[in-house]
Amino acid sequence: ITAAMDRVRSAFNSMIKSERYSRFTLQPGEDGERHVEVKLSDDATEGEAGGSPSFRPAPLHQSRRTICYLVLGTLLLFLTGYLVGYISHRKPQVEQENCVTELGVENRLKTMPTVVAPAPQVELDWKDITQLLTQKLTSQAFDKTLRDFDLPRRSAGSEEDMSLAKRVFEEFRKVEMNPWTDIHYVQLQMPDSKSPNRVLFGSDVFEPTGYLAYSAPRKVEGKLVYGNYGRQEDLDVLQKKNVELIGSVLLLRTGKISFAEQVDNAATKGASAVLIYPDSEDFTYLADTALYGHVHMGSGDPYTPGFPSFNHTQFPPTQSSGLPKIPAQTITANMASTLLQKIGGPESDASSGFKGGFKSLAYSLGGSKNITVEVNNVLVNRKIPNVFGVIKGFTDPDRYVVLGAQRDAWGEGYAKATVGTSVLIELAKAVREMVENDGFRPRRSLVFASWSAGEYGSVGATEWLEGYMSSIDKSVVAYISLDGVVMGRGSFMASASPLLYSLLESTMKEVKSPLGSGTVYDLVGKSDWKAKALRPMSMDDPAYPFLAFSGIPSISFHFISTNIEAYPYYGTNLDNMDHLNYQTNHRTSEMTAVAAQFAGQMALRLVHNHLLSLDVSRYSSIIYKDVVQVNRHINQLSQSGQLKEVTPTWLNQARGSFQRAADSINNAIDNTDLNDKEACRILNDRIMRV
């Protein structure tokens, strides 16, 4: 083609006898970079000095050879243009392997048409919107979806996980949500099938099937010590009893804090390894049930901290500072019972809270007998796809609310993954139908996300945040987690950014109680609902990376059985349909529909209202309480002589500055015409920067 084009150019010059043409070349500059240069040349007089170029008319007679070259060149140009146009404008095909990979939400939103149906004659009010949503999110619909997405296995990066990703993608495609995938290649830790993890205590040898991902692979020996839940106060009790912790192997029961926090506390005290088991006082399931989890004190792929794990991404070799330096392993209740029978050492006090559910055991503190822990976990590289679908907003499409659900689990993961994925699918279909057929016009966009590798510490979600941080923190209004929204029936709890407290409260007052009378607000109790329903957001919370890493207002909520704080079957192979049905009194579909309505109403409030439903005044009282505590602590240290030349003045000034900024926003809200789109957007952008 190049040779033919050169002949065409020569023929063209011969025809018009132009002595001058423009040529674009890339010339290397002094800095080594290439720059475009326009060169004017005179073919007829090249090499001659002086004079200005002249133009002469072309002769009428042309050779047949020249005409043939011209025709051939024209055909080549036409064919090339046709191929380029066909390739660039043809309808994209959905790849069976990885669907479609896009760089980010903004790119997808820019290519989407906004209006999908004729504009309604009358704008829907909030009552109409909530009624439509409730009508579409029925227990009958969830009966089918829960069955469809219930799988016996769904570990991150497995064939089952990839198959689920394709099914979610296909569901989004069916309702024209312009789906795409975000692929990451991450390091996951798994047991070595050839070298199982082992625990050796005297003549007893245990090979547990459960494990803790991201444990330090090592073989250590030390004195066995029982440390209750491994909280700071528990380890302080051991030190007061003069039980040596340095070099010890701590036996801890699971609960109260995360696996990662337990291991980190133990390592801080100098322990050489940690064993964790489910005590019968906290968990009533079979004593040979294996436990699974991770011990990374953080989220995301710990081998690319702060960077996205895209394919072939080259970063300096580094590890997350949250990776433990000591081995950690889960064991069953039966194994722990054997260890506690032979542990020896001083007995724990009745007031210490160390005694668990094994009535025949004294729960001695140990410190006298050696135990060996051998962890042989290996790192494997896994391809994990996050799947997205979007419903584009009509006024501010570049501002969006994200709803996300974890897709993977250690076992069946019915409560952990199946319910959340089902809510994600049905909610997306319901809102899309409202836009397509019922005249709903969201002002902002809704992004529905299906995450992978959540069990390893929100890996998929965190990698997405790391990959698109420059745009996400400016565009995402809020994140709503759909993980674990149904754990039982009878109570309700939530963890949220203070900015979302008002939205949470109003939604509780609007959504009907699953118990049949009143609302969710009545279910919790009208007096001091925050003390009864709100919980601090833990590091294991799927919404935690969005809040802590990206500063995005985030919320997770759970319908749960009374008198329990966590779902007892998480991290086991018992997280299945039967156990959740037992917790919900065989009303799982009804509970899932209520949870979907709750999440949907919060999301629709955030995309429907002129003004963002983020209450900046909610931070003031929280900051004030924290500042008072810090002031008190500084004064105590100063009076005791432990702290010198430090005053809390700067902290008080910062609190005052925040209060004045919050008051300024509230004053602007009171004095702004919320029907003015531009003024409203400016005001909302100010709120999003809080």
Side-chain angles (χ1 to χ4, degrees):
I1 292 177
T2 302
M5 292 300 294
D6 287 339
R7 294 190 184 96
V8 170
R9 190 179 65 189
S10 299
F12 184 78
N13 290 331
S14 300
M15 286 181 65
I16 65 174
K17 289 298 180 182
S18 173
E19 299 175 346
R20 182 176 177 173
Y21 65 92
S22 296
R23 181 183 300 153
F24 291 83
T25 60
L26 286 173
Q27 295 291 341
E30 294 180 0
D31 56 358
E33 301 216 353
R34 292 185 175 269
H35 307 281
V36 175
E37 180 185 10
V38 181
K39 181 182 292 185
L40 298 178
S41 64
D42 190 338
D43 284 21
T45 61
E46 191 169 352
E48 297 179 9
S52 61
S54 60
F55 297 86
R56 290 185 290 272
L60 297 176
H61 176 70
Q62 300 294 331
S63 68
R64 294 180 179 178
R65 189 187 191 101
T66 300
I67 294 174
C68 288
Y69 280 134
L70 182 61
V71 172
L72 177 61
T74 303
L75 290 174
L76 286 173
L77 286 172
F78 176 81
L79 180 60
T80 303
Y82 177 82
L83 290 174
V84 171
Y86 173 78
I87 293 172
S88 61
H89 291 88
R90 66 174 179 169
K91 186 175 180 180
Q93 300 294 316
V94 177
E95 232 179 273
Q96 293 300 314
E97 174 68 20
N98 59 10
C99 308
V100 175
T101 301
E102 276 292 327
L103 291 178
V105 178
E106 286 76 12
N107 291 341
R108 182 61 65 167
L109 287 170
K110 289 176 183 177
T111 63
M112 290 182 63
T114 301
V115 179
V116 295
Q121 294 181 351
V122 180
E123 184 177 351
L124 297 176
D125 60 22
W126 180 244
K127 184 178 180 181
D128 296 330
I129 293 170
T130 56
Q131 286 180 347
L132 284 170
L133 185 68
T134 303
Q135 290 170 5
K136 296 177 188 302
L137 297 173
T138 64
S139 59
Q140 292 78 14
F142 279 106
D143 275 335
K144 181 179 185 304
T145 308
L146 287 168
R147 287 194 303 269
D148 289 345
F149 284 92
D150 184 18
L151 292 178
R153 291 178 301 276
R154 54 177 72 227
S155 60
S158 65
E159 292 183 6
E160 293 85 358
D161 182 32
M162 300 299 289
S163 176
L164 275 173
K166 293 175 184 176
R167 289 172 62 183
V168 172
F169 184 94
E170 185 62 22
E171 291 292 340
F172 288 163
R173 189 194 63 77
K174 286 178 182 177
V175 292
E176 299 180 350
M177 288 175 60
N178 204 30
W180 73 98
T181 61
D182 180 56
I183 303 291
H184 293 274
Y185 295 80
V186 299
Q187 298 289 324
L188 306 179
Q189 197 186 63
M190 298 181 179
D192 188 344
S193 58
K194 298 179 180 179
S195 300
N197 299 338
R198 299 194 305 163
V199 177
L200 298 85
F201 188 56
S203 60
D204 296 308
V205 179
F206 305 112
E207 293 186 356
T209 56
Y211 79 105
L212 292 170
Y214 302 124
S215 162
R218 197 173 304 156
K219 181 178 181 180
V220 300
E221 182 179 352
K223 303 295 184 183
L224 181 62
V225 173
Y226 170 62
N228 203 19
Y229 295 104
R231 299 167 297 185
Q232 185 63 52
E233 57 265 34
D234 295 327
L235 303 184
D236 289 342
V237 169
L238 294 175
Q239 291 182 320
K240 290 177 181 178
K241 285 281 190 178
N242 296 318
V243 177
E244 183 61 61
L245 295 180
I246 297 177
S248 66
V249 174
L250 274 175
L251 175 63
L252 307 176
R253 52 173 167 163
T254 183
K256 308 298 183 185
I257 58 177
S258 68
F259 291 139
E261 290 171 300
Q262 289 178 310
V263 175
D264 184 68
N265 289 343
T268 302
K269 293 295 185 180
S272 62
V274 175
L275 297 172
I276 302 175
Y277 77 98
D279 194 273
S280 58
E281 183 180 62
D282 307 302
F283 302 93
T284 58
Y285 45 68
L286 297 175
D288 61 350
T289 301
L291 281 181
Y292 300 83
H294 77 91
V295 288
H296 176 211
M297 195 76 166
S299 63
D301 183 351
Y303 295 93
T304 58
F307 300 97
S309 298
F310 292 130
N311 196 17
H312 305 304
T313 305
Q314 297 296 321
F315 296 118
T318 184
Q319 295 182 5
S320 168
S321 59
L323 283 174
K325 302 297 190 294
I326 62 174
Q329 174 63 44
T330 55
I331 59 175
T332 67
N334 279 337
M335 296 175 187
S337 176
T338 301
L339 299 181
L340 288 169
Q341 287 174 4
K342 305 175 182 180
I343 192 171
E347 289 191 17
S348 58
D349 297 332
S351 60
S352 65
F354 273 47
K355 292 188 181 296
F358 298 121
K359 302 304 181 183
S360 61
L361 300 179
Y363 284 88
S364 298
L365 303 181
S368 59
K369 297 181 180 180
N370 282 344
I371 188 171
T372 299
V373 177
E374 181 182 349
V375 175
N376 299 308
N377 298 341
V378 294
L379 284 174
V380 295
N381 188 272
R382 286 287 186 268
K383 174 183 176 181
I384 60 167
N386 298 322
V387 184
F388 300 89
V390 63
I391 296 174
K392 190 175 182 180
F394 287 75
T395 304
D396 294 318
D398 57 339
R399 300 291 184 265
Y400 46 94
V401 174
V402 181
L403 298 100
Q406 173 180 322
R407 195 177 59 247
D408 67 295
W410 297 116
E412 290 187 43
Y414 194 80
K416 189 74 177 240
T418 302
V419 171
T421 300
S422 299
V423 171
L424 185 78
I425 296 299
E426 288 300 318
L427 193 54
K429 289 160 62 176
V431 177
R432 178 64 184 174
E433 187 176 335
M434 290 169 61
V435 173
E436 186 76 28
N437 301 326
D438 301 315
F440 176 52
R441 295 292 178 265
R443 288 179 172 81
R444 300 164 201 95
S445 299
L446 278 166
V447 174
F448 296 82
S450 174
W451 312 114
S452 185
E455 294 284 42
Y456 290 83
S458 301
V459 172
T462 303
E463 295 307 309
W464 180 69
L465 290 172
E466 290 175 342
Y468 309 107
M469 179 55 64
S470 60
S471 59
I472 285 175
D473 65 338
K474 299 180 183 67
S475 304
V476 178
V477 173
Y479 178 73
I480 301 173
S481 171
L482 302 178
D483 295 326
V485 290
V486 177
M487 298 178 174
R489 183 173 181 267
S491 187
F492 176 87
M493 63 182 188
S495 301
S497 308
L499 288 170
L500 293 170
Y501 283 178
S502 295
L503 174 63
L504 176 61
E505 182 178 8
S506 64
T507 306
M508 290 169 61
K509 292 178 179 179
E510 292 179 349
V511 176
K512 292 182 179 180
S513 168
L515 300 185
S517 62
T519 64
V520 175
Y521 191 74
D522 299 318
L523 174 68
V524 171
K526 297 180 180 180
S527 61
D528 200 9
W529 71 271
K530 288 188 289 185
K532 296 177 180 177
L534 285 180
R535 302 290 186 274
M537 188 172 288
S538 67
M539 187 177 292
D540 275 356
D541 195 305
Y544 181 84
F546 290 84
L547 177 61
F549 183 76
S550 305
I552 296 170
S554 307
I555 184 170
S556 61
F557 67 92
H558 317 279
F559 288 94
I560 194 167
S561 302
T562 54
N563 301 320
I564 64 172
E565 289 288 317
Y567 190 63
Y569 304 108
Y570 272 178
T572 73
N573 288 321
L574 301 178
D575 182 8
N576 53 38
M577 180 182 64
D578 291 338
H579 281 110
L580 187 58
N581 281 340
Y582 176 78
Q583 294 289 328
T584 62
N585 197 21
H586 296 278
R587 296 182 178 180
T588 299
S589 296
E590 293 178 21
M591 293 302 305
T592 306
V594 173
Q597 292 165 18
F598 197 94
Q601 287 205 24
M602 285 194 295
L604 295 188
R605 273 286 190 192
L606 288 165
V607 300
H608 170 72
N609 289 1
H610 289 275
L611 188 69
L612 287 176
S613 300
L614 302 176
D615 189 351
V616 297
S617 63
R618 289 283 189 167
Y619 264 119
S620 299
S621 60
I622 296 173
I623 293 176
Y624 177 76
K625 291 178 182 178
D626 291 340
V627 168
V628 168
Q629 290 181 1
V630 172
N631 287 343
R632 186 181 299 117
H633 191 55
I634 290 176
N635 291 333
Q636 290 173 351
L637 293 175
S638 299
Q639 292 174 4
S640 64
Q642 300 177 13
L643 194 64
K644 296 180 180 179
E645 299 180 358
V646 175
T647 65
T649 303
W650 64 272
L651 191 59
N652 294 325
Q653 291 174 344
R655 185 195 65 81
S657 297
F658 177 85
Q659 183 62 58
R660 288 189 294 274
D663 291 341
S664 174
I665 291 179
N666 287 328
N667 290 333
I669 292 173
D670 293 336
N671 296 293
T672 299
D673 179 9
L674 299 183
N675 291 313
D676 185 334
K677 293 182 180 180
E678 188 61 32
C680 200
R681 180 180 173 90
I682 293 172
L683 190 55
N684 285 331
D685 285 347
R686 288 183 62 188
I687 294 173
M688 287 180 64
R689 287 195 291 268
V690 174

